[in-house]
Amino acid sequence: MNGSGGMPHGGAMRLIAEHATAKHGTVSFFVTNGGSVNHEMVILALQDSQIVGTRALGGDAQVDETSNLGEASNTCGVGSGAGILPGASGWVTVSLAPGRYELVCNLPGHYAAGMYTQITIT
C-alpha cells in the first residue's frame, strides 16, 4: 500500500494496492506512507453490489468503520495507532475470506479526497 498525493477518483489523495488480488486465509499488509501527512489503512468488506469509493460520510468526514476487519495505523508497528507518519510504515496481518474488500484511509477527509482502493480475495 502507498498513501500519497495525486488526483485519482477526483480527489487530492490516493491509496494504491501493489496487488489487486490475494489468496484467502492469512493476508499481510505492509503500508508505507509516501505522503506529507499522517495516513492509515482500514480493511472494510464490500457488499455484492457496493462500489468502491461510495460509502457515506458521517459528520466527522469519516466512513463508518465499526465492522472493520483490521487496520494499519501504527507508525513502525503492527495494528492500530494514531496514524502512520510521512515516510514511515505500519503493518497488519488478518484472516480474510474470499470476497471484495475496500482499503481506506479513514482519517477525517481522506476518504472523500480519494484514499480508497479495492482488493479481491480469491
Side-chain angles (χ1 to χ4, degrees):
M1 300 291 111
N2 183 24
S4 64
M7 294 301 289
H9 312 295
M13 299 182 183
R14 64 184 172 178
L15 195 148
I16 302 166
E18 188 173 312
H19 300 284
T21 61
K23 291 197 179 274
H24 70 279
T26 302
V27 180
S28 294
F29 295 89
F30 184 79
V31 182
T32 300
N33 181 352
S36 60
V37 297
N38 285 11
H39 291 296
E40 67 178 7
M41 187 214 57
V42 178
I43 305 162
L44 302 170
L46 283 166
Q47 302 306 315
D48 292 335
S49 62
Q50 192 173 12
I51 299 169
V52 66
T54 62
R55 293 178 189 271
L57 293 174
D60 58 0
Q62 295 174 293
V63 298
D64 179 6
E65 66 173 66
T66 55
S67 62
N68 86 72
L69 302 169
E71 72 178 80
S73 60
N74 189 10
T75 296
C76 299
V78 65
S80 61
I84 300 171
L85 294 171
S89 299
W91 52 90
V92 64
T93 299
V94 294
S95 181
L96 296 176
R100 295 181 318 120
Y101 297 86
E102 187 172 24
L103 309 177
V104 308
C105 180
N106 204 26
L107 296 180
H110 291 205
Y111 185 81
M115 288 203 74
Y116 51 83
T117 194
Q118 178 178 312
I119 187 169
T120 302
I121 303 300
T122 60

